[in-house]
Amino acid sequence: MEIKGTNYTGVFLIEKGRKKYFLTKNLTPGTTFFNERTIIENNEEYRFFDPRRSKLCASLAKNIRTLPIKKNDRILYLGAAHGYTPSFISDIIGRNGLIFCIEFAPRVAKDLVFVCKRRVNMVPILADANQPELYEKRILESDIIFQDIAQKNQVQILLKNLRFLKKGGFVLLAVKSKSIDVTADPRRIYKEIELQLQKELKIVDFKELDPLERDHGFFLCQKVK
Amino acid sequence: MGIRENNLAQTIKDIESAITRDNIIIQTVHTVDETSKCINRLTVCLRERYGLYAPLTAKLREEDFLKRVEEMRKEEMGISLTKEDLDSVKQIITEVKNLQKFNDNQTNYLEKLMKEICPNLLAAATELIGARLIDFAGSLKRLAELPSSTIQVLGAEKALFRHLKSKANAPKFGIIFAHPDITSAENKGKAARHLSAKISLAVKMDYFKHGN
């Protein structure tokens, strides 16, 4: 198996026939937290990134135009859960990056803390992303905001948090259309969200994540104003 | 870098204070429900196994069956079993009885817990249903904030969303269906509506009485 680079910084690829596997370089070699497969080549350990567990990886599998996350970036991650996706972002940004993981549920935040303790660039915060004023003093201005929150007001939550984003920074937004309205057609909801986002941001790309994540969409936007 | 360590320490503190005593209720009711499932499955096994030997007793109802099963008497149509065969059947019987005792103890403990944390909910909904409601809502606080119409259909999400999506009828009850007041009522839908209203009142009293 040959490990190749991709157009996305920090993300690697193994091709097996028609199947593609995404990888990142493990920041904590020898330790994994989510039972993911690993592979060692040239003394470097790589972790397999599962597109069915992470919407970020699903968007890569769907050929999103660019992945704006770079080495040494500062990231605000809303809806970190157990820290699966954040751990891969932490691989990409490296030791000198910083990722603030906001999670509201204490039970999953427990698992998140275990991951964060071992990874020097991850910072857990138990807070409600709906109320940014409660944690604004605990975080720094970021290059990128990643949001994956299954709430009815997920777009409003993003807009509230935009003040932490640098000018020219990117937003990666995973949308679960079923939490906005179970009965509506997902395409219609994506359209509505697009209109809402356009007021504040420039939309770079949009991908539907079916069938990897059912009824989910992925927006890539830039803050130009 | 100080920001990481500060946040880490703060988050650990926050998580510690976020876990309250109603989490114990939720975990206990999980234990009780799982044990009940275990007991049911083992009893089915026992019935089949004992039915080879004594078909008549194996057809008895739950309590009678468990009383009679220890007699170990061969009946009509039953095949004869060796002592070793019977010993292994006896093992299942003791295990089932132990589990039942365990389950009773856990249920009593649950009742005690609820008497301490939410006495009104306990009175309105019985210990198992009350605890399951807390489990479905997530915490006592969340349950206290739910309207009674939601409490009524908690646990019937499948039917509720079917109703919202298509023209199917709305569900009348979720987990509160097992409440004795509803199973014995003639008009079950009406009883469910009343009961959920009372539960909603009770849990609000429990949660807000301490000035939360």
Side-chain angles (χ1 to χ4, degrees), chain B residues 3-173:
Chain B
I3 191 160
R4 178 168 173 270
E5 279 68 38
N6 286 344
N7 270 317
L8 201 58
Q10 178 71 40
T11 304
I12 289 171
K13 219 188 282 168
D14 287 348
I15 290 176
E16 277 167 7
S17 59
I19 295 165
T20 49
R21 276 187 80 75
D22 35 333
N23 292 63
I24 309 178
I25 293 187
I26 295 175
Q27 294 312 323
T28 316
V29 75
H30 281 175
T31 314
V32 172
D33 284 347
E34 286 298 315
T35 334
S36 311
K37 251 186 237 165
C38 258
I39 293 171
N40 274 334
R41 282 183 197 159
L42 275 181
T43 320
V44 171
C45 288
L46 179 62
R47 259 174 213 278
E48 286 300 317
R49 196 94 84 90
Y50 193 67
L52 301 174
Y53 181 66
L56 214 63
T57 316
K59 280 205 151 299
L60 287 174
R61 285 166 146 227
E62 189 82 21
E63 306 92 54
D64 300 337
F65 170 66
L66 279 175
K67 252 178 243 158
R68 288 280 297 280
V69 77
E70 282 190 322
E71 293 173 12
M72 289 278 172
R73 202 182 306 127
K74 183 172 175 295
E75 285 165 4
E76 208 181 1
M77 280 192 295
I79 56 167
S80 48
L81 296 179
T82 64
K83 185 165 178 305
E84 209 181 350
D85 298 334
L86 287 175
D87 279 348
S88 100
V89 173
K90 263 181 202 154
Q91 234 171 24
I92 307 182
I93 298 172
T94 41
E95 242 13 88
V96 169
K97 292 212 159 154
N98 277 343
L99 275 177
Q100 256 175 352
K101 211 188 230 167
F102 169 71
N103 211 16
D104 289 346
N105 289 344
Q106 290 287 321
T107 315
N108 287 339
Y109 167 64
L110 182 66
E111 200 180 337
K112 220 190 262 169
L113 265 180
M114 291 189 60
K115 219 171 229 162
E116 169 203 340
I117 301 164
C118 45
N120 291 307
L121 177 64
L122 174 65
T126 73
E127 67 275 6
L128 282 178
I129 295 169
R132 279 188 207 129
L133 286 171
I134 297 177
D135 178 26
F136 261 83
S139 66
L140 194 64
K141 175 170 182 272
R142 286 243 198 106
L143 186 62
E145 285 167 353
L146 288 182
S148 78
S149 53
T150 308
I151 293 177
Q152 188 183 342
V153 294
L154 270 185
E157 278 78 9
K158 205 172 157 194
L160 180 67
F161 287 121
R162 203 193 305 128
H163 160 68
L164 291 175
K165 275 187 179 170
S166 61
K167 281 181 183 165
N169 289 337
K172 296 190 204 71
F173 21 63

Side-chain angles (χ1 to χ4, degrees), chain A residues 6-9 22 56-69 170-172 202-209 218-222:
Chain A
T6 55
N7 293 335
Y8 311 121
T9 37
F22 290 95
L56 177 63
C57 189
S59 79
L60 301 181
K62 285 272 174 176
N63 283 326
I64 199 154
R65 195 176 294 164
T66 57
L67 179 66
I69 302 171
F170 285 89
V171 171
L172 298 152
K202 192 182 111 196
I203 295 176
V204 182
D205 201 3
F206 167 73
K207 292 283 178 207
E208 280 180 34
L209 300 182
F218 199 88
F219 285 91
L220 173 60
C221 322
Q222 190 174 19

Side-chain angles (χ1 to χ4, degrees), chain A residues 94-121:
Chain A
R95 259 161 219 292
N96 295 323
L98 206 54
I99 170 166
F100 295 97
C101 309
I102 313 282
E103 173 54 45
F104 185 46
R107 177 65 190 81
V108 287
K110 242 190 253 174
D111 294 346
L112 179 66
V113 167
F114 290 129
V115 179
C116 292
K117 271 189 172 168
R118 290 297 307 273
R119 288 179 167 265
V120 290
N121 55 9

